[in-house]
Amino acid sequence: MEIDRFIIPTVTIFIGLILCFFMLFPLSAILKMSFFKGGEFALANFTLVNFQKYFTTAYTLRALWHSLYVSVVTTIIVTIIIFFYAYAMTRTTIRGKTFFRNVIMLPLVAPSIVQALALIYLFGRNGLITAHLLKTDWNIYGATGIIVSEVLYCLPHAFVILYTTLSAVDIRLDEAAESLGASPFKVFTRITLPSAKYGIFSAAALTFNLTITDFGNPVVIGANYNVLATEIYAQVTNLYRFDLGATISIILLVPSLMAFMLNYYISRKTFSMISGAARPVIPPSRPLKKISYSIYCSLVTFAIFLVFATVIIGSFVKIWPYDWSLTLAHYSFPSIAGYSAIWTSVWVSLIVGIAGAFITLVAGYVMETRRPFFKQTIYLLSVMPAAIPGLVMGLGYILAFNKPYYFFYGTPWIIVINIVICNFTLGILASISNLRNIDPSIEEASISLGGDTFRTFFRIIFPLSRVAFFQNFVYFFMRSMTTISAVIFLVSATVHLAAIEIIMLDNDGWTASANAMCTCIIVIVLIMLGILQIVAKKTGQRPEGMTSAV
Amino acid sequence: METTSKQLVLKNINKQFGDLVAVKDVDLVIAPAEFVCFLGPSGCGKTTLLRIITGFEQQTSGDVIYDDKIINDVIPQKRDFGIVFQSYALFPNMTVHQNVAFGLKMRNMPPKLIDERVGEILKLVGLTDWERHYPSQLSGGQQQRVALGRAIAIKPKVLLLDEPLSALDAKIRIRLRTVIKRLQEELGVTMIYVTHDQEEALALADRVAIMRDGEIRQIGSPWEIYKQPKTSFIAEFVGTSNFITGKKKNGKVQFGRLELAVTNLDDSGNETVYLAIRPENIELVDETRSSENYLASNVVEVAAEVINFLGAIVRITFILEEEEMLVDISEKAFEKLSLKRKDKFKLYFPPDEFHQYTELFRKLI
Ligand SMILES: Nc1ncnc2c1ncn2[C@@H]1O[C@H](COP(=O)(O)OP(=O)(O)O)[C@@H](O)[C@H]1O
Ligand SMILES: [Mg+2]
């Protein structure tokens, strides 16, 4: 009996079915809800009334303009800031590059709400800087607050892309131009910028996508300034208008999908350009250039530090910014969830980490080395999750699975599944790029020696992938600890998660406790990253740090 | 050890990748315990043919037959064929011992027997003291020995090697060649060896199959291949040949101002004829011997252009009728001649050393 013959097709079909059932099916539920009367699929029920309602109601229509406005502005700011930051890392000889590179990644360890919390403490109605130092009435709520917090949130994501691009572009081009007598300004505009253009567009597209789909920051700092993401939440949670929620989801899906596809298309070009490029030594920068870039990078990292310091300090002082005496009072969480939410988050994240790392490794193995004939389909299904905003996916889960016979609905398991699916794309791309580093002959050697698929996978492929596996584990763990939008619709009266508790606490006026909860998450994620470093050092393979986790 | 290999037959094997024909009409019967080399330039389909035999690639048509049974549908891990890869493909997470033991473990052999067998194998490949080392701690030559040991540990029915030595230094390559040849003779296992190095093929094989564009162009003993290359391509690819494009005239071949006598000149209608002669088959004219020993038409006087001292022989480049040609003479004869660049000397083209072809393979430089 040659069972082995059927293992690969079976596993492939299984993975395909999982992705269909937990991704396409919820999406179809959203389509159904928005395009069909009462969400009942039938030709006669087809209607555009929801969209008509959306576009004729001034208040909801404004959310679209608001979203586009903050996303475009954020995108421009982030791209410019990060371009020069990455330029400093790759083209100048300033000191402390390792430090700068690590700090810029820091926002990844916290939920995308930490920025808003910090900004409110600094520039809010009772902000340290606005109300107490400058004694002004101006405050940051609304569009400005959203833009500033989104900028601070998107920096690491954009940095990874531009850093990779600028490292790959041959610096000798610049030198050649300079030696031919071109002024530094001309070199910059004629050589450096054009050679990095794919990276710039790609970083911009990603930033746009992250901003327009983010929920945590706008819900805290947006006040009356509604955006699409917060509007979906409001329609569903406050007004129970699932049909409108689904409709706005579709409207949100359009620009985010476009940005995703643009990014996907561009990054393919970038990577074909990057492969094989040399990385020569950077010539020493002129003192003035060095000083200005050092100051510039210090300012950016200062802003990031300020966010984290504010939230962490804010969680330990009695009454910000009146009474600076230290206290642990905010860590006795007022709501019933409190620490149980943290524990739930931790064990959910551990399961997400293991399951996510394992399933993406298996899927990557099946696709990369065994090349089943439906590889293309599975690949397409695997990259789709990155294009779907977490909030939309979450709403899809309610619409699709809120039926008594889906036993996992309302349990932590649906949260586990949702987070794994939402982050499937990066997980599988990391697995595939790792597997491509393993000599295909090694696998064939094992098979020719009589190793069946199971034993080849567990004795050869898995041990050779364990650092990549652990990196993926940490990535999934981190995403699971910090995601808000994907799971906000899936928490319930019995299942609480730490990241969601931050919003709840903030909403109920327990701002300091919200900061405390946020601090707990940051500490847990940092501990996990520390363990990754130790494990990687022990196994002798250097992890790419957080850079590879995004 | 006893021979367990049986006859392996490749019957009309074809393989296409889309429009590209990688293997074409391969028919081959390989006797038990025979050592066959597939020799050909890179891209000619050697690896593909090997992978069809191992089962990692499915042929588009044709049959692989082992011991009179068609094994087209037998998956690779059930074929019991050992493979040695160019990249060694050792398991980096396992020691030398574990690497060699892997196939035995997959066969659920008891641990005691495994240890015994691994010991035997390591002795055979000369790595007894390296059991506990990891592949990364070994040199390339040692790693390939482990790979060899790992492949023969399972007593394969056929051992297939895909350019196993091409990643190694010249010296180690020659030493390992001997190891492989000796193993094959001791184990009596059928071996199929892929290489693009003609010297390796001639040195190792019982039979050499010359491949080009997916086809086997000639198959025979190394001696046959060298002495009677069937096409001008083979004459050039195996060893070296000088090519002469001439016209038939009065039973002779006109080449520029020369009219060369050629034994058994074919009398088909073609006017143009392509001749090949190996550098070592061109003789120096010995002035002390009587001229009756030489056909006057095949004696030419040429000037030395380049002199390469290769050790036992000296290779001299000369120009004949505007064509660059080579002649090999022994180091002794060279000494006697005391030849310098631009010096003139006389050569003799023996009429029976020419090979005749109907088309000319031209190496593009
Ligand atoms: N998996 C494949 N897909 C498409 N073409 C292939 C594949 N494998 C080999 N080829 C092509 O088949 C031809 C023969 O390749 P190969 O057998 O590797 O040659 P060799 O081993 O003699 O160098 C080459 O032109 C190669 O590009
Ligand atoms: Mg090959």
Side-chain angles (χ1 to χ4, degrees), chain B residues 17 20 22 41-48:
Chain B
F17 293 111
L20 186 128
S42 99
C44 71
K46 308 180 295 287
T47 298
T48 306

Side-chain angles (χ1 to χ4, degrees), chain A residues 5 439 444 447 449 455, chain B residues 51 73 77 87 106-107:
Chain A
R5 225 176 252 280
D439 178 4
E444 293 185 353
I447 294 169
L449 292 165
R455 289 195 283 189
Chain B
R51 289 169 62 79
D73 292 332
Q77 81 216 43
S87 58
M106 294 298 118
R107 284 164 176 69

